[in-house]
Amino acid sequence: MTKIIDEIHREVETITIAFIKNSFSLDQNWPVRIDNKIVIGNSQTIAFSLKYNSYKELYSELIRNRDYNLKFIDGSLVQMLYEFDKKGKHIIGHILSFYPNLSEDYLNDALLINEDDDPDNQISKILNKQIIPFPLRFDYSQVVREKHPASHLTLGNYTNCRIPVSRPISPKQFILFILNNFYFNTGIKNIDKRFKKLIDNIGSSELSLSFTISDYEKKYLHIHHE
Amino acid sequence: MVEIINGLTTKEAINSRLKNFFATHGYEGILYTSYPILPSGVKRIIIDALWLSKKYGIIAFDLIQTEEEASNYEKRQQEIFDALDSKLRQYSEFKKGKKEFLLTIDVISFAPGLRVSPQQNSEYKIIKSEEDLEKYINSLAKWSNSHLFDKVHSAIQSMITLKKKIEERKVTKKFSRADKLNNLEKNIAVLDRFQEKAIIEYYGGIQRIRGLAGSGKTIVLALKAAYLHAQNTDWNIAITFYTRSLKQQFKELISKFFFEKTGEEPDWKKLKIINAWGSYNDPLDERGLYYDFCLTHGIEFLNFRDAKRKNYNSPFDFACQHAMEQIEKNKISLIPKYDVILVDEAQDSSKSYLQLCYNFLRGDRKNLIYAYDELQQLNEGSSLPNPKEFLKIEDFDDRILKVCYRNPRPILVTAHALGFGIYRTNNKGERELVQFFDQPELWNDVGYSIESGELKAGSEVVLVREKNTSPEYLENHSSIEDLIVFKRFDDQETQADWIANEINKNLHDDELTYKDIVIIHPNPTTLLNDVGILRSKLLEKCINSHIAGEEDADIFYKDESIAISGIYRAKGNEVPMVYIINAELTNSGEIMERGLRRRRNILFTAMTRSKAWVRVCGIGERMEGLIEEYNQIANNYFKLRFKYPSSEEIKRLNTIYRDIDRKEVNTKKGELQTLEKVLLIAQKIKNGEAFLEDYPEEYRELIKRIIE
């Protein structure tokens, strides 16, 4: 039986290759395995050190240190970090973060690179003025602290935002969640060919991780992932 | 002959006597006036004049105009000597062993108008006439270390310190590319006389500094700002730029130079390095100039998006014009803020921006200094009109930086030749330019000289670049076949294969670093689509790649990752090894041949990013055409040989190959399709598949004629 650590590792690799091949990442770092962890090539856990700094500072520090798995074409960042038990058979924690790029400068630049652009390309679709981008994070920790759901979703870095999630999330599940909800509406007819190829190349996750949600958490509004 | 470089002086009369002396006495070397500035204890001193001679070394002058000045000249001489001596002793190059100092420094006072004879002291010389000065100089001992002249010159310019400490590449093979680059970068940094004069010389008012990319405009402007700040600490000075990555560069150059000259940090409240445009993100006292102008005068500010929506082609020009119109319309009185404004990249910021700067300046004599790239857009020639026209001034000071220190000559000439289409044949098989500018004098300004013919309509002319405008050391390291490679491929796949292989070789066999290489794609709209294959091929070889900073312009290069760039981001960057992919795109227009001009400009910009080598890759027949053109250039020994076009021809070229925007492309495409359909109808009727009567009466006549 393949170990879960290998499967998760492979998922992150598949995602990285799909992003490069289809030019959806501007920059990327290869996932590496250190002991029982899967981390980013040059990870420095900046996000943790700057937990209480402003989002803007955090974002630019991540950029400067290339502390991310993927940098999307709009400058948004994705981190996928996992920790396993000694045998690599169980996930004991994960941090799956999405850091959007808030900089106004970027909006200018995006137009600059597309100077003679038709308005229908992907970048201009992302740059919609009525949108307020916000960071989001799926955290999982086997060591449960009081009233902290083991697997939860935090939106906009709100301190007490921990929306319970029924179980840990795999890399592919996470990435597809981001892409489908915040980038491309797969419901529309003229879905960009490249985007479709990206989704195809990523493929769906074959992992089925055990449920971790408690009965108490189930009482309130939560995210159920079948 | 002595090269004289005039700093800002308050001792005009005596200065001109000294200059006149050197201009007429047949000495060699360089004479600075009111330069350099040097730190001396806690204060700074401006040396009245300094003569740097191969024969005699350094002779500094203390110029005396009044009797009062004559009374304590010994003290001043001592200060000057100490300042020069301690500055120059900092450089290990000028020492031998532990103690021996290889330079000779002499300081004398020159007091030609003085009536009273001050006490003569044998150690502190005071010289009262030109005759005595000549006698004195001729009595001096010869400087025995004149081989150090260039280095001393560089030290006086502070260039030794300013030269970026470039990390030497690790070299294990002699003559590998990395070895060649290390040697190239070891060249002594010395400003040429055009640059040096442009930095030091300024008589107030408008000064225009022109030059090609790589001619040193940015360093000239930075040092000029620092020099003005050192001399006039109470002035409000702004230096503005358009490309964000320039900010850090300016800051570094100015601080280092200023520190060299004064021993202090610049006062950033007085000397501001600010963006030309600006936004509400700017720190309070570093507001972009246009943004600040709007806030100061209480007028509407347009950001990039708003301006672009209102004027697609030149948003910044529009925004500044809009500002000036509001000032005029509402009769707002101007609130000047600066004593000097220095504008870099004026070609990107337009003439109305310069007008706006002009109106933000204090005093009657507006001190506006601007630098621009002469041929950023090849067809426009000088991209800005004469300041006499748009600033309504009587006179201005014009400087040209003729020498290009970035590109090897063959690369620069090829870029020009392809940009103008000098050796191009059109689809009728005739030779035809793509674009041209009708300003004959400009060719000389940008560093070409006429080998034969005349710059007149109808004349067969041959233009060459010589080593005085394109230094030989830039090209001597490699053969021409290695400096420039043009390569045609059948498809994206084989193109990607070749480039990935070459880059792999560059990194391993050639010992280049990731930061030495850039891949440029000419079309921003299809870049993301086109580079996917190449990136995955690189990945197969374990070479990471990134698409260079759209969102963070300051981080263009990365360790351990190859930069891929669109053309707009590549602007302002220089790299030893440049790969241009899908170059065939620059040999065809958007629709028919419209827009070819702009695409050739892109090719020009992409090629001129290269400091050493360029690889132009492309696909299919269009690429073949480009290669054919390159072969012609090479066969003509990198000279521009062409028939100088008449103004009618230039006008015609500008129509056929003019720029075209997306909307126009779509309209044109629609129209062409309609035309095809009309022909189809005619064909149908001809074949008896349809009848003329099937169509509305008003069109029948037209259809009939088409059939005929």
Side-chain angles (χ1 to χ4, degrees), chain A residues 20-21 23 25-28 56 63 66 71 101 108-109 112-113 115-117 127 129 194, chain B residues 244 304-305 312 524-525 528-529 535 544-547 550-552 558-559 568-569 598 662:
Chain A
I20 295 175
K21 253 195 185 159
S23 283
S25 72
L26 294 179
D27 191 17
Q28 60 285 318
K56 253 191 170 172
I63 287 276
R66 301 183 67 208
K71 179 159 82 177
N101 178 9
N108 292 346
D109 272 1
L112 189 69
I113 56 159
E115 201 142 45
D116 57 342
D117 204 357
L127 304 176
K129 257 195 167 176
R194 256 182 340 119
Chain B
R244 255 180 298 145
F304 184 83
R305 293 190 113 194
Y312 191 82
T525 9
L528 287 176
N529 267 323
R535 292 182 81 192
N544 204 356
S545 64
H546 65 279
I547 295 176
E550 281 84 353
E551 82 301 335
D552 48 348
K558 295 182 164 142
D559 292 325
Y568 301 109
R569 272 283 148 257
R598 202 177 57 88
R662 178 66 51 183

Side-chain angles (χ1 to χ4, degrees), chain A residues 111-125:
Chain A
L111 289 168
L112 189 69
I113 56 159
N114 294 289
E115 201 142 45
D116 57 342
D117 204 357
D118 57 296
D120 297 325
N121 83 35
Q122 308 98 3
I123 290 190
S124 29
K125 269 188 232 155

Side-chain angles (χ1 to χ4, degrees), chain B residues 505-605:
Chain B
K505 267 193 250 166
N506 291 155
L507 293 173
H508 298 109
D509 307 344
D510 299 338
E511 310 185 291
L512 294 182
T513 68
Y514 282 80
K515 294 182 177 188
D516 289 330
I517 302 167
V518 71
I519 301 168
I520 300 176
H521 186 283
N523 186 354
T525 9
T526 58
L527 179 142
L528 287 176
N529 267 323
D530 292 348
V531 299
I533 302 177
L534 176 56
R535 292 182 81 192
S536 33
K537 298 265 179 200
L538 285 169
L539 195 68
E540 284 166 19
K541 299 189 188 305
C542 296
I543 300 170
N544 204 356
S545 64
H546 65 279
I547 295 176
E550 281 84 353
E551 82 301 335
D552 48 348
D554 302 343
I555 320 166
F556 192 89
Y557 306 105
K558 295 182 164 142
D559 292 325
E560 309 291 309
S561 180
I562 299 281
I564 300 176
S565 171
I567 194 65
Y568 301 109
R569 272 283 148 257
K571 252 184 204 174
N573 279 294
E574 47 177 66
V575 194
M577 177 63 86
V578 172
Y579 289 89
I580 302 170
I581 66 167
N582 291 94
E584 78 280 357
L585 294 172
T586 63
N587 197 24
S588 62
E590 285 275 345
I591 186 158
M592 296 167 33
E593 298 290 354
R594 300 284 184 278
L596 181 60
R597 181 172 89 179
R598 202 177 57 88
R599 293 183 169 203
R600 286 297 177 106
N601 281 338
I602 287 175
L603 182 59
F604 167 76
T605 309

Side-chain angles (χ1 to χ4, degrees), chain B residues 294-352:
Chain B
C294 290
L295 290 193
T296 306
H297 294 91
I299 55 177
E300 188 193 8
F301 165 78
L302 299 175
N303 68 21
F304 184 83
R305 293 190 113 194
D306 299 338
K308 184 124 186 139
R309 207 166 293 135
K310 291 190 174 166
N311 187 318
Y312 191 82
N313 288 324
S314 30
F316 194 43
D317 196 27
F318 177 83
C320 295
Q321 215 173 310
H322 182 62
M324 291 316 297
E325 279 164 12
Q326 291 176 73
I327 295 277
E328 255 170 58
K329 208 171 98 196
N330 304 324
K331 299 201 174 63
I332 299 170
S333 40
L334 292 165
I335 309 165
K337 198 164 181 178
Y338 291 103
D339 298 291
V340 186
I341 298 176
L342 302 102
V343 177
D344 197 9
E345 306 179 288
Q347 76 279 355
D348 287 329
S349 44
S350 81
K351 69 171 201 239
S352 45

